[in-house]
Amino acid sequence: MTNTRAMGKMNKVVIPRFKRIMNSLCLLFLVGILCICPKMNIHAEAVANGSMNSNLTGTTDERTNITDPGTADSGDELKKLNIANTVTVTYDNGNGNVNGSLRILITLTLIALAPILIIMLTSFTRIIIVLHFTRNALNTQTAPPNQVIIGLALFLTFFIMNPVIQQVRTEAIQPFDQGKITQQEAFTIAMDPIRDFMYGQTQTKDVRMFMEISQTEWTGNLDDIPNAVLIPSFIISELRTAFIIGFLIYIPFIVIDMVVASCLMSMGMMMLPPTTISMPFKILLFVLADGWNLVIGNLVRTFY
């Protein structure tokens, strides 16, 4: 026991001293290496009388810049690659007012905002809510699944919004790519068809409500409604319309539930859930009436 304690005390004293000696040796070794190495001169690129500095690698006739800085006399010369070790991005031969890098940034931003724009500024909201009400009214839980409902809503949205998309492409995107209009003009022209679509589906009372909240006078014209007012007004109107359609879809299925519940109670089968018995009758009624054709057809016609 005594020997173990003595060894422990010795380790506590010897180990720190050994570490300090090793650190000192490493420091001396590093200083010796720095003293032995020869001097290294670092030269910046220098150009005198059109020739390269003799300390640089390569021949004196070779240069990394194709043309001297500040020698461009026209826009076409500025578009050319001037420094050999740089990368430039051009789009449509440099037409328009935004260079390639900014176009890529704007494109990525629009891709990130595309889901919000598709959901809020198109017919997608009304369609997806009506399809959701239809599935709940049938009481089929996950049939059709969410992926099918969302996919169907997207394709119906593209079908309904196709005239608007074509108008935006023809009047705004193509002229902007050709350099005929500026970026601000393209944005304004692109918003006009979308605003016309939203205004046609928006109720007047919703517009008046947001105009009163923003303390803005409205003469009744579309041009006097800012986008900050028109977009929320359109969304509120879409929600109202979708819930009204959903209520109308629920009515025949509620009648089936009431009839089945009354029959079960009259038969004394109170412990049997009515929804379990009524679901096959709902599906049968929906199939016999060609429900998907009626729901989808009338839903699409609400936008025309």
Side-chain angles (χ1 to χ4, degrees):
M1 229 15 222
T2 305
N3 293 334
T4 304
R5 291 180 180 178
M7 290 294 295
K9 291 181 180 179
M10 185 178 296
N11 291 333
K12 291 181 180 179
V13 175
V14 173
I15 292 176
R17 290 180 180 178
F18 180 75
K19 289 183 177 180
R20 286 196 294 268
I21 293 173
M22 292 299 298
N23 292 335
S24 301
L25 291 176
C26 291
L27 180 61
L28 292 175
F29 183 72
L30 179 61
V31 172
I33 292 176
L34 295 177
C35 294
I36 294 173
C37 291
K39 293 183 179 181
M40 292 183 295
N41 297 325
I42 300 175
H43 300 276
E45 179 182 358
V47 180
N49 299 324
S51 63
M52 301 295 296
N53 193 303
S54 59
N55 293 318
L56 302 179
T57 59
T59 61
T60 57
D61 296 332
E62 296 178 353
R63 296 174 52 88
T64 56
N65 7 2
I66 299 174
T67 56
D68 293 330
T71 59
D73 296 329
S74 63
D76 294 334
E77 294 181 0
L78 286 175
K79 296 175 185 176
K80 295 180 179 179
L81 186 65
N82 186 41
I83 304 300
N85 295 326
T86 60
V87 177
T88 57
V89 179
T90 59
Y91 181 83
D92 198 14
N93 296 325
N95 291 328
N97 295 325
V98 182
N99 60 14
S101 301
L102 284 179
R103 284 179 179 269
I104 295 174
L105 178 61
I106 293 173
T107 302
L108 294 177
T109 304
L110 291 177
I111 291 174
L113 296 176
I116 299 176
L117 298 178
I118 293 175
I119 293 173
M120 296 289 99
L121 304 185
T122 63
S123 58
F124 182 85
T125 302
R126 184 189 305 183
I127 295 172
I128 195 69
I129 292 176
V130 171
L131 294 178
H132 176 74
F133 274 122
T134 303
R135 186 178 66 179
N136 285 350
L138 288 171
N139 197 28
T140 54
Q141 302 300 326
T142 58
N146 292 331
Q147 293 85 346
V148 175
I149 290 180
I150 294 174
L152 178 59
L154 283 174
F155 279 105
L156 291 176
T157 300
F158 292 147
F159 174 78
I160 294 170
M161 301 297 297
N162 185 59
V164 178
I165 295 173
Q166 293 298 329
Q167 187 175 355
V168 170
R169 180 174 178 273
T170 304
E171 298 180 0
I173 297 178
Q174 290 181 349
F176 177 66
D177 288 339
Q178 296 171 1
K180 297 180 180 179
I181 58 177
T182 62
Q183 179 182 0
Q184 185 64 31
E185 292 174 345
F187 177 78
T188 303
I189 296 174
M191 280 300 299
D192 287 340
I194 301 176
R195 284 172 56 87
D196 292 336
F197 171 79
M198 290 191 295
Y199 185 71
Q201 305 298 327
T202 305
Q203 296 188 12
T204 305
K205 62 180 180 180
D206 294 328
V207 177
R208 293 189 183 277
M209 178 186 68
F210 283 100
M211 294 293 283
E212 291 175 359
I213 294 174
S214 62
Q215 298 180 355
T216 305
E217 295 182 359
W218 184 39
T219 60
N221 297 325
L222 174 60
D223 297 335
D224 298 333
I225 306 176
N227 292 331
V229 172
L230 182 59
I231 293 174
S233 303
F234 169 74
I235 296 172
I236 296 298
S237 298
E238 286 294 284
L239 291 175
R240 181 186 296 106
T241 305
F243 273 74
I244 292 174
I245 297 174
F247 171 75
L248 296 176
I249 292 174
Y250 254 102
I251 291 178
F253 299 107
I254 291 177
V255 173
I256 294 177
D257 286 334
M258 294 176 63
V259 171
V260 172
S262 300
C263 294
L264 292 176
M265 290 182 65
S266 63
M267 296 171 62
M269 303 174 64
M270 298 181 182
M271 300 301 295
L272 184 64
T275 54
T276 304
I277 305 301
S278 63
M279 187 176 67
F281 292 99
K282 292 179 181 180
I283 297 175
L284 179 62
L285 174 65
F286 197 73
V287 172
L288 293 177
D290 198 4
W292 287 116
N293 184 282
L294 292 175
V295 172
I296 300 300
N298 289 283
L299 177 61
V300 173
R301 290 188 182 94
T302 58
F303 292 96
Y304 292 93

